Amino acid sequence: MKQPLSTVAHTRSGDKGDTSNIGVIALRPEYYPVILREVTPERVKAFFGDRVTGEVERFELPNLGAINLLLHGALGGGGTVSLRIDAQGKTYGAALLRMEIEID
Amino acid sequence: MIRIANGQGFWGDWLEAPVRLVDEGPIDFLVLDYLAEVTMSILQKQKQEDPALGYARDFPPLIGRLAARLRERNIKVVANAGGVNPVACARAVLAAAPGLKVAVVHGDDVFHRIDEFTGKGYEMRDMDTGEPIASIRPRILSANAYIGAFPLAEALDTGADVVIAGRSTDTALTLAPMVHRFGWRPDEYDKLAAGTIAGHIIECGAQCTGGNCQMDWQAIPDMANIGYPIIEAEADGSFTVTKHAKAGGRVHSDVVKEQLLYELGDPHRYMTPDCTADFTTIQLADTAPDRVRVTGIRGGARPPTLKLSISYTDGWKSIGTLVYSWPQALEKARAADRVVRQRLETLGLRFDEIHTEYFGYNACAGPAAPPNPDPPEIQLRIGVRGEDRRMVDRFTRELIPLVLNGPPGATGFGEGRPPVREIVAYWSALIPREEIETRVEVVA
């Protein structure tokens, strides 16, 4: 069944230069495998479209039931160079919660 | 057990937070983080104009306000408020709070050593782009090495009431009291990693006590009186995250998880001057309301290099806005953007980038924003950046005329022309750690 990511996860996002990171945390331990299966770097990159000019990297933190996504080239140059309203990617975590995923 | 509280997540954070941490319950150490990457360049400019400036000016009056209570309760303060002029900061603290013992840490400021480093063959290539530093040499505004917890602990060892550092890492402020009080050695990697992760949890102030928290945010208690975080640290490296009981906010593993992931890179290798911390070893347990116990943390050796934080000028930018109202708010804003771009082209103005956003439609998330086909109002937001200040200045004259000579229904021009700002960009590079010698000075 297709549901938004917000059904199984909460997030927090921020910046490091022109890279935005999004922490995706399972609301319950049993949701973690769903997140691992559904929230792949390819799908995250496609979801943000032209907002992400580089690659998306993913790291797993099973101890926290979480993944850490690095969205490279996602902040219009980042920091003080960027002309964007959200030059720090503060809102990207919330935006990702709309992504539709398959839930068992 | 020692209690370490963070009362400032950045310069500009809530002024009441450190005062409440001191007043509302027991703490042993108050740590305050004032420095962001661009802050150093602002402070370097201030020092060039006045040799008595170049530090976080909010800090001395805060210590003056708290001095009697710090002394009475034997609370020590560790802050990176020194910026590029820690001695001047210390003198201002002593003027505001006579009788306190103040120590400063020297050695992080390498603004005058760049050519010495280049002469030794260090290219100081940017960690993101790989460019050598020669490409920005004439435009450098500030250069600092991130220093770790051991020099700060040495400053606490002098018996100082207030320790003032320049560009220490944020996490070192929290780790230093543990090194000082527990006598941890540089090769006790697991303990140093634990103290570093404790520092990461509290370095953004209320972000681990319910601020900017997505999980059940409507249910965070008493946000107006949110409590700032306290670490109860044990000598074995385990610790508890908590807050004062009567303060607002919430400390729970869900909240702490969000902050653990904040601005994180590779979780296996969180590098600091003190150690390499492994975030995949952290174990969290909710042991009581507003108490999260943290155990199991493993770490590795410190890296052979220190990170340099270098700021430099990188052209000029300006961002202007106008608001368009329903009907066809988005279409009007898009038409106005086309008009502005055509006029800039006709004027022969050249920029490195022209960027347009439609605030209220998809400015934050772009293609990831929810559909909103007929928004009631839209803020058009056009930004430009380039090397030539005159061209950026000329751009700022092109928005307000649209109120009369562009699509209908434009408003929101009350602030006048947008300001032109110099871009201060950030460069990070590595230097062998033996090049950076720190020194502690007790300022009388």
Side-chain angles (χ1 to χ4, degrees):
Chain A
M1 186 175 57
K2 288 272 186 197
Q3 294 277 345
L5 177 60
S6 57
T7 315
V8 296
H10 60 123
T11 58
R12 180 172 293 184
S13 58
D15 69 314
K16 272 275 185 273
D18 198 23
T19 297
S20 177
N21 96 293
I22 306 177
V24 181
I25 306 153
L27 290 169
R28 293 181 191 181
E30 59 267 32
Y31 295 154
Y32 185 54
V34 179
I35 291 170
L36 284 182
R37 187 188 68 217
E38 298 289 324
V39 188
T40 61
E42 297 73 25
R43 293 185 60 192
V44 172
K45 186 168 162 68
F47 182 71
F48 282 101
D50 60 9
R51 277 296 174 115
V52 182
T53 60
E55 293 306 304
V56 173
E57 274 186 282
R58 187 179 93 167
F59 297 96
E60 299 174 14
L61 296 98
N63 54 318
L64 303 179
I67 57 172
N68 186 32
L69 298 163
L70 301 186
L71 283 54
H72 296 288
L75 297 173
T80 53
V81 176
S82 177
L83 298 171
R84 300 208 188 146
I85 189 124
D86 187 14
Q88 283 81 29
K90 297 266 184 195
T91 66
Y92 279 174
L96 185 64
L97 292 179
R98 282 188 58 250
M99 190 171 82
E100 297 258 303
I101 60 168
E102 194 69 43
I103 297 175
D104 312 317
Chain B
M1 186 271 284
I2 54 173
R3 292 187 178 89
I4 305 163
N6 184 315
Q8 198 80 175
F10 66 100
W11 189 1
D13 201 357
W14 197 27
L15 287 173
E16 298 313 302
V19 180
R20 290 181 176 211
L21 280 168
V22 168
D23 280 349
E24 291 181 351
I27 61 170
D28 302 301
F29 295 89
L30 175 65
V31 306
L32 304 159
D33 176 17
Y34 283 97
L35 299 184
E37 278 132 8
V38 292
T39 314
M40 301 307 280
S41 64
I42 297 164
L43 295 175
Q44 194 68 259
K45 273 189 174 175
Q46 288 176 359
K47 187 185 174 190
Q48 281 165 7
E49 283 160 24
D50 181 347
L53 295 180
Y55 58 86
R57 275 183 281 177
D58 286 353
F59 182 66
L62 171 69
I63 298 304
R65 187 177 167 192
L66 288 174
R69 285 167 276 183
L70 296 175
R71 203 180 287 115
E72 182 188 315
R73 292 163 214 177
N74 193 28
I75 297 168
K76 309 293 187 185
V77 177
V78 186
N80 56 12
V84 294
N85 204 348
V87 171
C89 183
R91 294 209 174 106
V93 167
L94 286 168
L100 288 185
K101 185 171 182 179
V102 180
V104 304
V105 177
H106 295 280
D108 64 294
D109 190 349
V110 296
F111 183 49
H112 297 290
R113 297 184 64 196
I114 293 293
D115 294 328
E116 173 199 335
F117 292 158
T118 311
K120 287 178 174 175
Y122 304 132
E123 292 185 302
M124 292 172 278
R125 289 179 180 272
D126 185 78
M127 289 167 73
D128 293 324
T129 66
E131 294 276 312
I133 201 164
S135 62
I136 59 155
R137 177 66 192 93
R139 295 185 279 141
I140 291 176
L141 296 174
S142 69
N144 295 77
Y146 278 96
I147 60 170
F150 282 86
L152 305 184
E154 190 189 328
L156 284 167
D157 292 343
T158 67
D161 300 300
V162 178
V163 169
I164 298 171
R167 185 63 279 191
S168 70
T169 60
D170 304 346
T171 56
L173 300 172
T174 299
L175 175 57
M178 302 182 202
V179 171
H180 159 69
R181 193 62 74 87
F182 301 139
W184 290 347
R185 299 185 314 270
D187 62 351
E188 293 187 273
Y189 305 137
D190 293 346
K191 291 174 183 171
L192 297 175
T196 295
I197 287 171
H200 179 86
I201 292 171
I202 67 169
E203 73 181 23
C204 296
Q207 274 205 152
C208 69
T209 55
N212 187 27
C213 180
Q214 207 177 70
M215 181 73 176
D216 284 342
W217 71 268
Q218 299 99 324
I220 303 289
D222 195 12
M223 204 174 266
N225 292 299
I226 196 162
Y228 274 53
I230 299 165
I231 296 288
E232 296 178 358
E234 307 283 349
D236 66 359
S238 65
F239 60 90
T240 295
V241 190
T242 187
K243 66 178 184 65
H244 287 320
K246 75 178 200 186
R250 178 168 67 208
V251 181
H252 185 272
S253 56
D254 296 323
V255 186
V256 172
K257 281 180 197 172
E258 285 195 22
Q259 178 55 23
L260 280 169
L261 287 150
Y262 183 66
E263 292 184 352
L264 184 65
D266 179 350
H268 300 282
R269 278 174 289 278
Y270 183 91
M271 312 269 273
T272 76
D274 303 304
C275 64
T276 303
D278 185 350
F279 277 53
T280 69
T281 60
I282 301 167
Q283 298 299 322
L284 303 178
D286 293 290
T287 50
D290 293 318
R291 293 182 65 82
V292 175
R293 177 118 177 99
V294 187
T295 56
I297 293 170
R298 304 295 304 271
R302 63 190 199 179
T305 48
L306 293 179
K307 190 163 136 185
L308 297 177
S309 156
I310 298 166
S311 65
Y312 63 101
T313 57
D314 196 19
W316 302 86
K317 73 174 182 181
S318 184
I319 298 165
T321 63
L322 279 178
V323 171
Y324 287 88
S325 66
W326 192 89
Q328 298 109 29
L330 181 60
E331 288 81 351
K332 290 170 188 168
R334 285 192 161 134
D337 178 56
R338 286 193 296 273
V339 169
V340 169
R341 286 174 184 255
Q342 188 176 335
R343 289 176 182 171
L344 296 178
E345 182 78 30
T346 306
L347 287 164
L349 303 181
R350 293 281 175 274
F351 301 101
D352 293 337
E353 185 185 6
I354 305 175
H355 180 70
T356 305
E357 291 181 328
Y358 301 97
F359 187 82
Y361 178 62
N362 68 352
C364 290
N372 185 15
D374 188 22
E377 57 213 18
I378 287 293
Q379 186 185 60
L380 169 68
R381 194 172 182 278
I382 307 180
V384 302
R385 62 179 175 89
E387 289 298 313
D388 189 336
R389 181 179 181 153
R390 290 166 304 176
M391 292 196 183
V392 178
D393 267 325
R394 186 66 186 79
F395 157 79
T396 68
R397 310 292 297 258
E398 286 301 319
L399 280 173
I400 295 180
L402 288 167
V403 176
L404 301 186
N405 72 16
T411 187
F413 51 90
E415 298 296 316
R417 278 188 280 144
V420 174
R421 296 185 200 285
E422 187 166 30
I423 299 173
V424 177
Y426 173 67
W427 184 280
S428 57
L430 298 174
I431 195 88
R433 63 188 305 142
E434 52 273 17
E435 289 292 346
I436 307 299
E437 277 188 38
T438 57
R439 180 172 59 84
V440 172
E441 177 189 1
V442 175
V443 178

